[in-house]
Amino acid sequence: MKRVLGIYGSGGLGRCINERLPDAEPRFAEVVFIDDTVPEDIFRNRRRMSFASFCERYAPTEADVIIAQGEPALREALYSRVKKAGYVLATILSKGAFVSPYAKVGEGVFVFPGAVVEDNAVVEDDVCIADHAVVAHDVHIGKHVCVEAQSVVPGHVVVGDGAFIGIGALLRDRVRVGAHAVVAMGAVVMRDVPEAVEVMGNPARACRRIDTSQRVFAEYYHGTESGKE
Ligand SMILES: CC(C)(COP(=O)(O)OP(=O)(O)OC[C@H]1O[C@@H](n2cnc3c(N)ncnc32)[C@H](O)[C@@H]1OP(=O)(O)O)[C@@H](O)C(=O)NCCC(=O)NCCS
């Protein structure tokens, strides 16, 4: 039976996921946006509602959710909320993405067109792999990670839970990126990145320690308390 998909977030990432769906997802009869920061309305020809309304309307037996937030800490908070309410997260591989049949991909993973996930890569739950990003063979991507567009994560790299790999970042093979670390856009990472540290530049250098209690980037955050548990 066809199911309902709730895209949790109607900001930039949510709108992009929405546009990639028609090709990829015949399994959903209806798609709605979930957004706790705006009043209920119609948005991009789809119903948009709070998570509380979503739960009232659709039981976990008939609906799945995909998290559409670029900020790992916010992803993690929403993921916990969705799991606590009993929903399954949908894994969606866009048409035009290549995901090796020998890769292991968890629950709630969205892979954008042009992205590649190679042989023996492991992608844990609640991960976003953006357009034309490369997750190479034997890589391990932790939970709630965002691998942004055109970044390259080569063989045997390990990316810890809640880390963020910015647009166009290049990592050396076999490096380890600590949990909750931020690799800035365009960084060239030659050495291991410690937990909760932001690195930038070529070669990438540590520039800031991340306060993991204040991790939500302002630019991804819609201005209310939604998403924070
Ligand atoms: C790492 C990042 C979060 C830092 O943002 P920020 O804290 O707002 O930093 P600021 O813009 O205040 O810049 C601080 C300094 O770092 C420099 N800087 C910022 N990002 C940089 C980068 N990626 N590479 C090199 N230098 C950078 C700035 O030029 C500035 O230098 P200055 O003090 O000499 O002027 C941001 O640069 C980044 O990479 N964001 C992710 C972008 C992305 O992938 N978005 C995907 C969404 S679609």
Side-chain angles (χ1 to χ4, degrees), residues 4-10 32-40 47-60 63-69 77-89 226-229:
V4 174
L5 176 69
I7 302 175
Y8 206 156
S10 61
V32 301
F33 284 106
I34 306 169
D35 194 323
D36 302 304
T37 70
V38 291
E40 215 156 308
R47 286 201 280 178
R48 178 163 64 173
M49 63 195 74
S50 66
F51 186 58
S53 302
F54 180 82
C55 295
E56 268 168 34
R57 273 193 196 135
Y58 309 108
D64 299 334
V65 176
I66 183 101
I67 308 290
Q69 299 289 345
L78 297 181
Y79 173 88
S80 307
R81 179 184 287 174
V82 166
K83 293 298 280 182
K84 215 185 285 175
Y87 293 89
V88 168
L89 283 107
S226 103
K228 289 186 168 175
E229 295 285 350

Side-chain angles (χ1 to χ4, degrees), residues 114-176:
V116 169
V117 179
E118 291 182 348
D119 184 296
N120 203 38
V122 175
V123 179
E124 302 274 5
D125 295 349
D126 184 31
V127 167
C128 176
I129 301 175
D131 306 71
H132 298 279
V134 175
V135 172
H137 60 91
D138 306 297
V139 162
H140 190 118
I141 305 281
K143 282 185 174 181
H144 318 299
V145 168
C146 270
V147 181
E148 288 295 351
Q150 306 207 349
S151 55
V152 179
V153 183
H156 301 275
V157 166
V158 176
V159 178
D161 290 352
F164 178 89
I165 310 294
I167 299 170
L170 300 176
L171 283 71
R172 187 178 197 159
D173 51 307
R174 293 179 191 275
V175 299
R176 302 177 80 87

Side-chain angles (χ1 to χ4, degrees), residues 148 164 166-167 182 184-185 198 200-201 208 217 219-220:
E148 288 295 351
F164 178 89
I167 299 170
V182 171
M185 58 188 177
E198 183 178 285
M200 59 172 67
R208 185 164 75 98
F217 297 160
E219 68 254 41
Y220 292 112

